[in-house]
Amino acid sequence: QDTVIVFTSDNGVHQGEQRRIGNGTKGGCYDVGLRVPLVVRGPGFEPGPDIDVPVYPMQDVTATALDLAGAEAGLPHQIGTPLRQLVARPAAFTQRVLLHETASEVKMEGDGVTTGPHHELGYWKLFRYPSKRSEAGPPWTYEMYDLAADPDELHNLASQPEVRAEQEVLEQTLRTLLA
């Protein structure tokens, strides 16, 4: 009655997806390396439908632990959204956008954003290389995927005229989140 159980995992390495395999392929912009399972059960997490709003696994799990303990994050970068809020009001988080940053040790240093499946713009991912934080700076190489139509991220739509408006919104969102 007073215990919350969180089941999650680390992400795995690529097994041939996007022509990547083995050591050094754990990170990167692709969902196979970003998505992790997350199941929560206990008070405030009763059985029900799956929630498909965007979740930052580690930040939101940390925020959940702090929330359950009645504590607050000590540093601004530790702030997430308690999962109880996401579960209680999933419609309030449909416009949430996730920021991704990959480090140079994974050989794909970059920055990106992903919207959720119910976002007003659509279900998109935009990634650019190198990272804004790297010394290399622009010009950037982009990857952009329509995750609703292409969940395996096989068709890079970056710089395609038919999605230019969406790319501009995603680029501005990325700049804002990195500011």
Side-chain angles (χ1 to χ4, degrees), residues 35-89:
R35 296 175 63 96
V36 297
L38 177 64
V39 178
V40 183
R41 178 66 187 202
F45 300 98
E46 304 308 320
D50 291 346
I51 304 298
D52 61 358
V53 297
V55 172
Y56 285 109
M58 295 308 113
Q59 291 93 326
D60 293 345
V61 169
T62 301
T64 301
L66 291 170
D67 175 53
L68 293 169
E72 293 184 16
L75 299 171
H77 71 276
Q78 294 173 319
I79 297 173
T81 302
L83 294 173
R84 289 195 299 184
Q85 289 181 20
L86 295 171
V87 169
R89 298 179 308 114

Side-chain angles (χ1 to χ4, degrees), residues 40-157:
V40 183
R41 178 66 187 202
F45 300 98
E46 304 308 320
D50 291 346
I51 304 298
D52 61 358
V53 297
V55 172
Y56 285 109
M58 295 308 113
Q59 291 93 326
D60 293 345
V61 169
T62 301
T64 301
L66 291 170
D67 175 53
L68 293 169
E72 293 184 16
L75 299 171
H77 71 276
Q78 294 173 319
I79 297 173
T81 302
L83 294 173
R84 289 195 299 184
Q85 289 181 20
L86 295 171
V87 169
R89 298 179 308 114
F93 297 94
T94 58
Q95 301 310 300
R96 192 176 196 201
V97 176
L98 301 183
L99 170 66
H100 308 290
E101 296 183 83
T102 58
S104 59
E105 57 267 8
V106 297
K107 301 176 185 165
M108 289 186 75
E109 181 180 24
D111 310 310
V113 289
T114 302
T115 61
H118 306 293
H119 194 277
E120 64 189 7
L121 186 65
Y123 192 14
W124 292 98
K125 178 184 290 173
L126 176 75
F127 231 87
R128 69 179 182 195
Y129 309 95
S131 167
K132 175 189 177 204
R133 300 185 199 293
S134 78
E135 294 177 15
W140 287 297
T141 299
Y142 288 91
E143 290 188 46
M144 181 174 164
Y145 299 98
D146 177 349
L147 297 174
D150 181 20
D152 294 323
E153 302 167 290
L154 300 175
H155 306 286
N156 182 2
L157 300 174

